[in-house]
């Protein structure tokens, strides 16, 4: 079953611009993770944020988590054409080890 | 570190045949492996959770007699699609977590594209 919604479903920007993707979920979580998937390939783990954290940075990535609103956002700054991919959030309830994925955002960065 | 491989990367088979997909953790012991299915332009749907040495736990709506999962060792899990039909055509991805990896992180394989004719 899907955990929740991601928006936008698709995003097209110019190289150098920032890209923001949002994720909402329904149940309590232990952590939330963001993954990238290039077309037809496997997933690459980007960043993990725990339920007691509000913001986390990794290079050009900034993730926020608002557990009161059950939502998270992923910001990619100074985007590059190589950032073109689908981005998924996934939640872990901390009990079963299962990851429940959002529907994903397809990002296109035009050179 | 924490590399997961899948074999084959793609397979084409005739309707009615069975197909086995392997998922291996190359540099760590995977106590738990997960199998996902992804249809085109859709997200990953968890099919089952596989713990080494025990029976897999299937998600609601996933036929366990059709999707046989075996996790016989700490580095290998297999998914067998039995009597495959065209509607089983999909991208199958495994992930693994284990004692040596950061416990909250799953490491994903590159996926296997199954096409059933």
């Amino acid at each position: 079953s899907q955990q929740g919604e991601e928006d936008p479903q698709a995003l097209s920007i110019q190289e150098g611009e920032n890209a923001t993707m949002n994720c909402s979920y329904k149940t309590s979580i232990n952590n939330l993770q963001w993954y990238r998937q290039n077309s037809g390939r496997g997933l690459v783990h980007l960043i993990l944020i725990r339920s007691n954290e509000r913001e986390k940075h990794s290079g050009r990535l900034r993730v926020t988590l608002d557990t009161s609103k059950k939502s998270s956002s992923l910001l990619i700054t100074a985007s590059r054409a190589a950032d073109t991919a689908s981005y998924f959030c996934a939640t872990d309830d901390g009990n079963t080890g299962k990851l429940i994925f959002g529907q994903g955002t397809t990002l296109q960065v035009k050179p | 570190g924490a590399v997961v491989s899948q074999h084959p990367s793609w397979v084409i088979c005739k309707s009615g045949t069975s197909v086995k997909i392997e998922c291996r953790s190359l540099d760590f012991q995977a106590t738990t492996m997960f199998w996902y299915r992804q249809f085109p332009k859709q997200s990953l749907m968890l099919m089952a959770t596989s713990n080494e040495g025990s029976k897999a736990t299937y998600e609601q709506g996933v036929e366990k007699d059709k999707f046989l999962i075996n996790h016989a060792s700490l580095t290998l899990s297999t998914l067998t699609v039995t009597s495959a039909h065209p509607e089983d055509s999909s991208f199958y991805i495994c992930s693994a977590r284990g004692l040596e990896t950061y416990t909250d992180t799953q490491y994903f394989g590159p996926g296997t594209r199954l096409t059933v004719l």
Side-chain angles (χ1 to χ4, degrees):
Chain A
S1 61
Q2 295 301 124
Q3 172 65 289
E5 303 283 328
E6 283 189 60
D7 81 274
Q9 288 189 335
L11 180 61
S12 181
I13 60 175
Q14 293 295 135
E15 211 166 22
E17 294 180 340
N18 295 341
T20 300
M21 290 159 260
N22 303 295
C23 165
S24 63
Y25 57 92
K26 298 175 183 174
T27 60
S28 297
I29 63 170
N30 175 265
N31 66 70
L32 185 145
Q33 304 178 34
W34 285 90
Y35 289 84
R36 183 184 73 219
Q37 184 182 36
N38 290 84
S39 181
R41 309 288 287 273
L43 272 72
V44 174
H45 183 262
L46 295 177
I47 197 165
L48 179 153
I49 186 166
R50 297 190 181 285
S51 59
N52 61 353
E53 298 176 307
R54 293 294 167 258
E55 188 171 312
K56 206 161 183 180
H57 297 254
S58 177
R60 294 184 295 114
L61 305 180
R62 172 178 169 254
V63 167
T64 63
L65 179 64
D66 186 335
T67 52
S68 66
K69 295 182 180 178
K70 290 186 166 57
S71 67
S72 174
S73 68
L74 170 67
L75 168 67
I76 304 174
T77 60
S79 63
R80 305 167 182 168
D83 295 329
T84 295
S86 292
Y87 291 82
F88 296 93
C89 67
T91 55
D92 181 348
D93 65 7
N95 293 322
T96 62
K98 297 179 190 178
L99 285 181
I100 305 299
F101 282 81
Q103 295 174 349
T105 294
T106 300
L107 172 66
Q108 181 185 31
V109 181
K110 299 175 184 175
Chain B
V3 177
V4 175
S5 70
Q6 279 184 243
H7 177 80
S9 55
W10 60 269
V11 57
I12 300 172
C13 70
K14 293 182 178 179
S15 187
T17 61
S18 294
V19 174
K20 181 184 283 188
I21 302 170
E22 294 184 348
C23 176
R24 291 182 187 273
S25 56
L26 299 185
D27 50 4
F28 66 101
Q29 292 185 318
T31 50
T32 305
M33 288 183 169
F34 302 87
W35 286 95
Y36 297 84
R37 180 169 53 184
Q38 185 180 33
F39 292 108
K41 299 190 186 302
Q42 293 188 25
S43 186
L44 281 75
M45 295 291 291
L46 179 65
M47 298 175 68
T49 303
S50 166
N51 291 297
E52 187 266 338
S54 61
K55 289 184 179 180
T57 303
Y58 291 80
E59 294 299 301
Q60 193 172 6
V62 178
E63 300 174 59
K64 56 183 167 184
D65 293 332
K66 181 167 186 63
F67 299 99
L68 301 179
I69 292 172
N70 185 289
H71 192 163
S73 78
L74 284 172
T75 59
L76 174 64
S77 176
T78 60
L79 167 68
T80 300
V81 183
T82 62
S83 186
H85 288 94
E87 57 265 31
D88 298 323
S89 298
S90 188
F91 194 52
Y92 292 88
I93 305 175
C94 71
S95 69
R97 58 191 284 178
L99 296 175
E100 291 92 352
T101 63
Y102 182 52
T103 56
D104 288 347
T105 300
Q106 291 184 25
Y107 295 91
F108 284 80
T112 296
R113 174 122 2 240
L114 170 63
T115 301
V116 184
L117 302 177

